[in-house]
Amino acid sequence: MKIRTLLRFIPVTLLLMCMSTVTFAQLSPSNLLDGRILNEQQYNKAIHIMAMLLIGFGFLMVFVRKYGRSALTATFLLVSTSLPIYYLIKSKGVTGIVETQIQMLILAEFAAASLLITAGAVLGRLKMPQYILLGILFVPFYMFNEWVVLGGGLGLIPAGAVVDTGGSIVIHAFGAIFGLGVALTMTTKQEFEKTIETDATSDRYSMLGSMILWVFWPSFCAALVTPEQMPHTVINVIFALCGSTLATYISSVGLRKKMSIADIANAALAGGVAIGSTCAVATHTMAIVIGIMAGGLSTLGFAVIQSYQQKWMKLIDTCGVTNLHGIPGLFGGLVAVPIVHGINMSGHMAGIGFTIVVAFTTGMITGKVLPLLGRKTEAYDDVDEFLEAAEE
Amino acid sequence: MKIRTLLRFIPVTLLLMCMSTVTFAQLSPSNLLDGRILNEQQYNKAIHIMAMLLIGFGFLMVFVRKYGRSALTATFLLVSTSLPIYYLIKSKGVTGIVETQIQMLILAEFAAASLLITAGAVLGRLKMPQYILLGILFVPFYMFNEWVVLGGGLGLIPAGAVVDTGGSIVIHAFGAIFGLGVALTMTTKQEFEKTIETDATSDRYSMLGSMILWVFWPSFCAALVTPEQMPHTVINVIFALCGSTLATYISSVGLRKKMSIADIANAALAGGVAIGSTCAVATHTMAIVIGIMAGGLSTLGFAVIQSYQQKWMKLIDTCGVTNLHGIPGLFGGLVAVPIVHGINMSGHMAGIGFTIVVAFTTGMITGKVLPLLGRKTEAYDDVDEFLEAAEE
Amino acid sequence: MKIRTLLRFIPVTLLLMCMSTVTFAQLSPSNLLDGRILNEQQYNKAIHIMAMLLIGFGFLMVFVRKYGRSALTATFLLVSTSLPIYYLIKSKGVTGIVETQIQMLILAEFAAASLLITAGAVLGRLKMPQYILLGILFVPFYMFNEWVVLGGGLGLIPAGAVVDTGGSIVIHAFGAIFGLGVALTMTTKQEFEKTIETDATSDRYSMLGSMILWVFWPSFCAALVTPEQMPHTVINVIFALCGSTLATYISSVGLRKKMSIADIANAALAGGVAIGSTCAVATHTMAIVIGIMAGGLSTLGFAVIQSYQQKWMKLIDTCGVTNLHGIPGLFGGLVAVPIVHGINMSGHMAGIGFTIVVAFTTGMITGKVLPLLGRKTEAYDDVDEFLEAAEE
């Protein structure tokens, strides 16, 4: 009990300590008008991404019918923990050059997105303070990987070698594999046998989350591209999402006879995941093909592979992040090789490999640390943490 | 069965064929900075419209209580089918000059909006592959009408003669009348007698859709106006919506003694529909008057006319698109005549007439084609298409 | 009955009368390009705020489980009444200089936000026409206070003396205290004893509203700051919200043993309320500290103080606006004193005092006027006003 109470104060203390010494980035564009305009353009996309984080990821996870209050509260806590931590570390310049304030906000949101993906793997099996601790542990690991893979950190991979504009690799695959590492270490036998229940209302909430993600995904991928690249990037993302949505419907019916709404809500987004790496450079035709393939792959994961994976790896991946972010993320990273002219292939592949190793290892470590705060009594249920649920 | 399986692959194949030969528009504004800024401004509105398409139209249709999963999935499929098809045909320059990429995206979204209106008329009575086929058939007909009425196609109506900035005529009325054509041809006797059930939860979802549409409607109407016209247009749209919302409440209580939430969720938006044609040129006073009249008309439609219309025309219009988009759309087109100074009256009226004829005829044709894929077994119910619903 | 019928037409008549003589502001920036860009930037924030008004406030109030249709309809009516009335009075220049059209829209939205806060205090106990009348009465009182406190009206407080960029004082505290005044006058004994019921679905809807408010709050506070101040302001607001969200979780568990979702949905936003006054000038560290303190204070209000307050003041504050907007708003106003260098302390404090007095007095007056339209038969229930609810 003592430890838990103490741990509840960690995020706040940490934030305050960081903040007292922080030096913030100053925006000094050569052209001030241009700088101001760029700020506003990126700000709009930052708000779109914020909608994805809270409402998108949050409501997508409400599909667990008795765990809705918890899923939404966990989303609030994960975002509120990770955004300031990332921003403060980043603004100190630890991991390379310091960007404008809005750019740092967007990078912090990317980290939060990756964290939410991780949380999806163990959703319903952590207590609230464990979500907070997950956020505290996740962000530095994520930043380390981002720094090495994209920023040339440690001199392992040349900066710029890894093509990953929209984060197929460093955001989606990293989050999913980290989550697998956590789930692998933590899943208990009781949890393994407990059914995850849904109903018509939780399914419709889940579709709300899915649609929010779909709608704002172009802003996620185009948040940091140049204004010249924006239109092409945006159309690519939309086409990839259209492709995966259609492919998901076809695959879901093809593989299961009837559709599953879980496939639709999730795999429809796989095009957005997979187009991430190449969203700024693929042709529109390639974008739609990538989307179709990702949607098919992802649905195959949900409809067929997931049950085998769970038995084989002895873990439960609550939201199926393996199928939505893991496989499509890696697929998106790999298709950059044939698509991007003059790609530094060894560097790009090294980045993918490094991400897999770091994510899985640090995920496993995190999975060892989290149980120090105990275990959730009632998996997939609000009842042990919410007054209102206990009274129902 | 064979045909249906084949048909499922049509949209994908079609997209791939189109894409292989497409030449995309290049943005070459005289002033590059201006061009980039315009792109970003229009992009923000394009994302707002995307929220309207998926979340707005999607959740508005969730009012059918057992058909929520299907309504949302159908929305996904309709959007994913129509956006790329429109974009690809448009970008080939078939229907006149090629615009910037973001402008083409917005035009494609307009087509998707019109298609979703059509789908609202037959909602709950099509199987998923039929929604896809509906999208494939609808888009070319819609583009043909748009080209003739707004773009001077075939030389029938002078380009610019029809005043329809926000699409009262070519988007709303076209979609509604097309939908009536489909419903007229397809409604079966069993469907005619089956009750459409709602409940408190489906009603609240429906209000979510309605509010999303209300909030982003100004961006729909102002998406392609000049930056100088934007503020006036936006205020007009908001005033028209305020007018129709207040008028809907008053009319609903007046006509029914108690309010119907169906009136509120739908007719409150009639001001947005009706102000479409004249949103850039009406005065604010006119805007609010148009909104009030449209809200009253639309509520009258839902509360009184709809039941007569259904008996007389022997069709079910599931979402009442006649009352929300048909009548207010035509009304909005007609009020342009007294309002717009120097309007080419014969041209404008010819545009309205042409739209009615084309929409109704092509809707009837489409209604003859769709049943080739069979009939939905359980109208207004997820149960025959979704695993989860079958298990409930 | 006659009076009520008549009153229903008041808003419409009022609007029409106002509009017939209105002179609209003309945007004439020295630099036209700059003006157009500014318009678009502010427009985006105006739409974000609109989402907060309808979907944010609207759905936050859906937590009352049998009153969802009414809460959303009331939101529609309150917004549709207040926006045009504010805009029309403002555009006549009655309360000082006339701004650009988009700036007036944003100011009108601020008034609507304050009105929705007021409505939260008496939610479930007004009939629909009473919400409309509330809006009609509220706006002039709100404008009077805004004019005196911020605009130097009557020469009581020097213009610019009160620091309140994001409206902690004139929007949040004003709305909450006005609402208390209304509730104090109107709460009946039956209402006092009736339980306000929630359930899992209404709680999740409420969290949707809360998240929409959280996501777009930065645009609310930064809507009228200069482009140079925008990034700093935005990060401050986000940090304050992160702080209050974390503090709410910790306080809720600390004070109640288990969390209450009502705390999470509401108090998590207290950071946004409290940072309002100083959002443009506080350091990031101060922002997060203000957020943490506001979250703690607000949760203390919901968990402990509210039940005493209700007994002591003999009123029901349905949504707990005292705890979310009242206390945190005043707190935000007061912390400006130590934080803002060179603040005009007497002027600033006079502004806070004036706001409290005006809000409470005019709220009491309004609470005397509203019962002239009768009393709602079934408190917290759709059943006496909605057909659908009566049939359930």
Side-chain angles (χ1 to χ4, degrees), chain B residues 312-324:
Chain B
W312 173 61
M313 293 181 80
K314 292 206 172 38
L315 60 80
I316 298 294
D317 171 359
T318 315
C319 298
V321 301
T322 315
N323 310 307
L324 174 48

Side-chain angles (χ1 to χ4, degrees), chain A residues 36 40 43 69 387-388, chain C residues 45 203 219 228 259-260 284:
Chain A
R36 283 190 284 133
E40 292 281 348
Y43 169 71
R69 295 181 187 93
L387 281 179
E388 288 89 348
Chain C
K45 298 189 183 78
D203 283 345
S219 289
E228 285 76 13
M259 267 175 288
S260 162
H284 293 336

Side-chain angles (χ1 to χ4, degrees), chain B residues 33-34 37 40-42 44-45 48 198-205 207-212 214-220 222 226-228 230-232 234-235 238-239 241-243 245-247 249-250 253-254 256-265 268-269 284-285 288-289 292, chain C residues 8-9 11-12 15-16 19-20 22 24 27 32-33 36-37 39-40 43-44 47-48 50-51 54-55 58-59 62 64-65 68-73 75-77 79-81 83-84 87-88 101-102 105 109 128-129 132 199 201-202 205 208 212 216 383-388 390 392:
Chain B
L33 180 68
D34 251 7
I37 292 169
E40 292 281 348
Q41 291 171 351
Q42 294 183 333
N44 280 311
K45 299 190 183 76
H48 294 172
T198 65
D199 64 19
T201 298
S202 71
D203 283 345
R204 288 175 289 180
Y205 278 121
M207 282 295 282
L208 171 62
S210 177
M211 285 182 159
I212 289 272
W214 208 107
V215 164
F216 294 114
W217 210 292
S219 289
F220 190 94
T226 65
E228 285 76 13
M230 186 276 287
H232 187 79
V234 159
I235 307 285
I238 292 172
F239 278 10
L241 286 166
C242 290
T245 304
L246 289 168
Y249 162 68
I250 294 166
V253 175
R256 300 183 191 257
K257 305 287 179 201
K258 287 186 181 186
M259 266 176 288
S260 163
I261 192 70
D263 295 351
I264 306 291
L269 302 167
H284 293 336
T285 313
I288 207 162
V289 173
I292 291 167
Chain C
R8 265 189 225 124
F9 290 93
V12 172
L15 291 182
L16 291 179
M19 303 212 75
S20 55
V22 78
F24 286 102
L27 169 70
L32 199 64
L33 180 66
R36 282 191 282 132
I37 292 170
N39 263 339
E40 291 280 349
Y43 168 70
N44 280 312
I47 292 296
H48 294 172
M50 200 69 94
L54 289 178
I55 311 168
F59 275 89
V62 174
V64 188
R65 89 181 171 85
R69 295 181 186 92
S70 302
L72 295 169
T73 303
T75 304
F76 254 161
L77 296 178
V79 169
S80 297
T81 304
L83 285 186
Y87 191 97
L88 295 171
Q101 285 170 288
I102 300 296
L105 172 61
E109 290 178 324
M128 287 303 148
I132 297 177
D199 64 18
T201 297
S202 70
Y205 278 122
L208 171 63
I212 289 274
F216 295 114
V383 74
D384 52 341
E385 300 198 281
F386 278 95
L387 280 180
E388 288 89 348
E392 262 162 15

Side-chain angles (χ1 to χ4, degrees), chain C residues 243-298:
Chain C
S244 57
T245 304
L246 289 168
T248 296
Y249 162 67
I250 294 167
S251 316
S252 188
V253 175
L255 293 167
R256 300 186 192 254
K257 306 288 178 200
K258 286 185 180 186
M259 267 175 288
S260 162
I261 192 71
D263 295 351
I264 306 292
N266 287 286
L269 302 167
V273 174
I275 197 63
S277 291
T278 54
C279 57
V281 291
T283 65
H284 293 336
T285 313
M286 288 169 192
I288 205 161
V289 173
I290 290 172
I292 291 167
M293 292 178 70
L297 262 176
S298 182

Side-chain angles (χ1 to χ4, degrees), chain A residues 8-9 11-12 15-16 19-20 22 24 27 32-33 36-37 39-41 43-44 47-48 50-52 54-55 58-59 62 64-66 68-73 75-77 79-81 83-84 87-88 101-102 105 109 127-129 132 199 201-202 205 208 212 216 382-388 390 392, chain C residues 33-34 37 40-42 44-45 48 198-212 214-220 222 225-228 230-235 238-239 241-243 245-247 249-250 253-254 256-265 268-269 283-286 288-289 292:
Chain A
R8 263 188 226 126
F9 290 93
V12 173
L15 291 183
L16 291 179
M19 303 212 74
S20 56
V22 78
F24 285 103
L27 169 70
L32 199 65
L33 180 67
R36 283 190 284 133
I37 292 169
N39 263 339
E40 292 281 348
Q41 291 171 351
Y43 169 71
N44 280 311
I47 293 296
H48 294 172
M50 200 71 93
M52 295 172 78
L54 288 179
I55 310 167
F59 275 88
V62 175
V64 188
R65 90 183 170 84
K66 289 189 179 169
R69 295 181 187 93
S70 302
L72 295 169
T73 303
T75 304
F76 253 162
L77 296 178
V79 169
S80 297
T81 304
L83 285 186
Y87 190 96
L88 295 171
Q101 286 170 289
I102 300 297
L105 172 62
E109 291 178 323
K127 296 188 298 184
M128 287 301 149
I132 297 177
D199 64 18
T201 298
S202 70
Y205 278 121
L208 171 62
I212 289 273
F216 294 114
D382 291 337
V383 76
D384 52 342
E385 300 198 282
F386 278 94
L387 281 179
E388 288 89 348
E392 263 161 14
Chain C
L33 180 66
D34 251 6
I37 292 170
E40 291 280 349
Q41 291 171 352
Q42 294 183 333
N44 280 312
K45 298 189 183 78
H48 294 172
T198 65
D199 64 18
T201 297
S202 70
D203 283 345
R204 287 174 290 180
Y205 278 122
S206 184
M207 282 295 284
L208 171 63
S210 177
M211 285 181 160
I212 289 274
W214 208 108
V215 163
F216 295 114
W217 210 292
S219 289
F220 190 94
V225 305
T226 64
E228 285 76 13
M230 185 276 285
H232 187 79
T233 306
V234 160
I235 306 285
I238 291 172
F239 278 11
L241 287 166
C242 290
T245 304
L246 289 168
Y249 162 67
I250 294 167
V253 175
R256 300 186 192 254
K257 306 288 178 200
K258 286 185 180 186
M259 267 175 288
S260 162
I261 192 71
D263 295 351
I264 306 292
L269 302 167
T283 65
H284 293 336
T285 313
M286 288 169 192
I288 205 161
V289 173
I292 291 167

Side-chain angles (χ1 to χ4, degrees), chain B residues 161-235:
Chain B
V162 176
V163 179
D164 200 28
T165 311
S168 297
I169 303 162
V170 298
I171 301 172
H172 292 283
F174 183 89
I177 296 166
F178 191 104
L180 275 189
V182 179
L184 194 65
T185 329
M186 282 192 75
T187 311
T188 65
K189 212 185 161 194
Q190 292 103 299
E191 289 166 6
F192 197 81
E193 281 155 11
K194 189 158 185 179
T195 317
I196 298 173
E197 292 173 17
T198 65
D199 64 19
T201 298
S202 71
D203 283 345
R204 288 175 289 180
Y205 278 121
S206 184
M207 282 295 282
L208 171 62
S210 177
M211 285 182 159
I212 289 272
L213 290 169
W214 208 107
V215 164
F216 294 114
W217 210 292
S219 289
F220 190 94
C221 285
L224 297 177
V225 304
T226 65
E228 285 76 13
Q229 288 177 306
M230 186 276 287
H232 187 79
T233 305
V234 159
I235 307 285

